[in-house]
Amino acid sequence: MQKRNLILEDGTVFEGYGFGSEEVSKGEIVFNTGMTGYQEVITDPSYYGQIVTMTYPVIGSYGINRDDYETVTPFIHGLIVKEYSEHPSNFRNEETLDSFLKANNIPGVAGIDTRKLTRMIRKHGTMKAAIISAEEDAEKALEELRNTALPTDQVKQTSTNNPYVVPGRGHRVVLVDFGVKHGILRELTKRDCQITVVPYNYSAEEILRLRPDGIMLTNGPGNPKDVPEAVEMIKEVLGQVPIFGICLGHQLLSLACGADTEKMKFGHRGSNHPVKDLKTDRTYLTSQNHSYAVNPATLENTGLKLTQIAINDETVEGVKHTIHEAFSVQYHPEASPGPEDTNYVFDEFLKMMDKKAKKQGVHIHA
């Protein structure tokens, strides 16, 4: 196999061998702790522009299948693994991870000490990285990498360009697409919602003209402060329509209410992150993927109440507005991959829409 190198912004070089595309690629190096679910990770739009390190030692053993996509087009810039499985064995397998990455122009590097790499990221934080051929000049590639700016238009790149409808006979939900995972659509359609998916930059006036029973703010990549138009839209619709935010949507709702967000050292990515519900005192395992978090010290005087926290580092995992019908969670209740312990929050969203409809004397056909 062709030798291929991973170069980090601090000058560290990891030597490995290539699979997938032969493209030279740059991005932010991050790690995911999930034991399974690599297909969902690769196709999660929230990873736009990132080179993903899988900490589980063997990746590709069950191949790629038609059911586990989270979006049609994967957006990661590279995949780093300890060992790549060339011969997958699973009854759902339809192609190898190698052929899938080749078809989508995504380079992979295997033979990397992913434990050492992960420890470096945990110690020094996420940093820029590049995947290059072993024949290329590493010093020149490092200089180019250091002079490369990370993108700030990730949401624009992953959001739909035009509105579309997912039919249903229940509640009418406007879903603002910041880089939505299909799992969110699945949970809403499972509850028979009619979903109108709109671009990230849809205005409050355009959304309210659709007469929604509720507004869904989805996950997505990047810094929430890079989407100021969404913050302004949320400020205008808050109090008029029930709102439910997930991941980036959670951060945008918090910003709209006056709280602040900050970049984490290395983020949360994986399918086993424990979260504590402060009302019930119950702990749930959750799927997470985010680089930014809401600063808890800034929640005061925003109208938002802290509802859930991360067990490991006490970061904000959930908020609820004390006056308006609006709440959000930092984790992914739709899982994909990961535990489905928290998909009850979609039912909470439906109850919120039921309550609003009852006040208005509207009958919902469910």
Side-chain angles (χ1 to χ4, degrees):
M1 291 186 177
Q2 180 188 8
K3 290 184 178 179
R4 194 172 289 173
N5 291 344
L6 171 71
I7 299 179
L8 304 187
E9 185 180 2
D10 66 359
T12 304
V13 178
F14 287 87
E15 297 179 352
Y17 61 89
F19 66 102
S21 169
E22 296 182 5
E23 296 284 323
V24 172
S25 184
K26 301 182 184 72
E28 183 181 38
I29 188 81
V30 299
F31 65 88
N32 182 290
T33 59
M35 295 176 65
T36 60
Y38 56 81
Q39 182 174 337
E40 293 95 328
V41 168
I42 294 168
T43 58
D44 180 349
S46 295
Y47 283 105
Y48 177 89
Q50 295 180 328
I51 297 174
V52 182
T53 303
M54 301 300 295
T55 61
Y56 190 70
V58 182
I59 300 297
S61 56
Y62 55 85
I64 299 290
N65 65 76
R66 69 175 190 174
D67 298 323
D68 292 341
Y69 290 96
E70 283 304 311
T71 190
V72 174
T73 305
F75 293 100
I76 68 168
H77 280 194
L79 185 67
I80 309 299
V81 303
K82 175 69 172 68
E83 180 182 340
Y84 157 64
S85 179
E86 297 181 67
H87 305 289
S89 177
N90 185 274
F91 72 98
R92 293 197 301 159
N93 173 49
E94 294 175 325
E95 68 173 312
T96 65
L97 175 59
D98 177 59
S99 64
F100 175 72
L101 293 182
K102 277 188 171 74
N104 289 281
N105 296 316
I106 298 170
V109 185
I112 299 293
D113 185 344
T114 51
R115 178 176 291 185
K116 177 181 178 181
L117 175 56
T118 300
R119 287 172 66 90
M120 289 182 64
I121 298 171
R122 286 180 60 88
K123 181 178 180 180
H124 302 293
T126 56
M127 62 188 94
K128 290 183 285 188
I131 296 173
I132 64 170
S133 167
E135 285 74 38
E136 290 188 52
D137 186 334
E139 289 297 325
K140 182 180 178 182
L142 178 60
E143 183 180 354
E144 290 179 357
L145 175 64
R146 287 173 172 168
N147 291 327
T148 300
L150 292 174
T152 58
D153 64 344
Q154 296 100 315
V155 168
K156 180 180 179 180
Q157 297 299 325
T158 56
S159 176
T160 183
N161 291 320
N162 300 299
Y164 62 92
V165 174
V166 181
R169 293 185 177 276
H171 287 288
R172 299 171 66 91
V173 175
V174 168
L175 183 147
V176 186
D177 178 11
F178 301 113
V180 65
K181 289 174 62 183
H182 289 174
I184 294 175
L185 294 172
R186 284 194 293 268
E187 290 298 330
L188 291 173
T189 55
K190 189 188 298 182
R191 291 161 175 80
D192 206 28
C193 294
Q194 174 173 300
I195 309 162
T196 302
V197 182
V198 301
Y200 76 99
N201 55 359
Y202 237 47
S203 69
E205 180 183 358
E206 290 172 308
I207 289 174
L208 294 175
R209 192 173 287 278
L210 295 171
R211 303 291 188 269
D213 299 314
I215 297 173
M216 173 87 243
L217 308 173
T218 77
N219 65 291
N223 186 345
K225 293 178 181 176
D226 289 336
V227 202
E229 55 269 71
V231 175
E232 292 305 311
M233 176 273 290
I234 296 167
K235 287 180 181 179
E236 292 183 46
V237 300
L238 184 65
Q240 299 192 62
V241 184
I243 298 174
F244 174 30
I246 291 176
C247 200
L248 181 64
H250 157 78
Q251 297 160 12
L252 291 169
L253 174 63
S254 299
L255 287 174
C257 292
D260 196 13
T261 56
E262 56 193 5
K263 188 166 187 180
M264 306 171 75
K265 187 175 182 181
F266 50 83
H268 292 173
R269 294 174 185 85
S271 52
N272 58 352
H273 289 264
V275 167
K276 181 178 180 180
D277 188 296
L278 299 179
K279 182 178 180 180
T280 64
D281 210 30
R282 292 188 63 181
T283 298
Y284 300 92
L285 284 180
T286 67
S287 175
Q288 300 200 15
N289 172 19
H290 58 101
S291 297
Y292 292 81
V294 176
N295 184 334
T298 65
L299 288 175
E300 190 174 356
N301 300 322
T302 62
L304 295 174
K305 176 177 67 173
L306 181 65
T307 58
Q308 295 177 321
I309 61 169
I311 294 292
N312 292 334
D313 58 12
E314 296 189 345
T315 50
V316 176
E317 291 291 342
V319 295
K320 184 175 184 179
H321 206 283
T322 56
I323 299 173
H324 305 304
E325 299 287 356
F327 77 107
S328 60
V329 294
Q330 179 62 79
Y331 52 85
H332 286 266
E334 81 287 353
S336 302
E340 299 181 350
D341 301 23
T342 56
N343 62 15
Y344 71 88
V345 296
F346 288 96
D347 297 321
E348 295 297 320
F349 183 40
L350 261 67
K351 290 176 184 175
M352 188 177 282
M353 290 188 285
D354 284 337
K355 182 179 177 182
K356 184 75 172 180
K358 190 174 182 180
K359 282 184 179 179
Q360 296 175 338
V362 178
H363 178 66
I364 302 297
H365 296 282

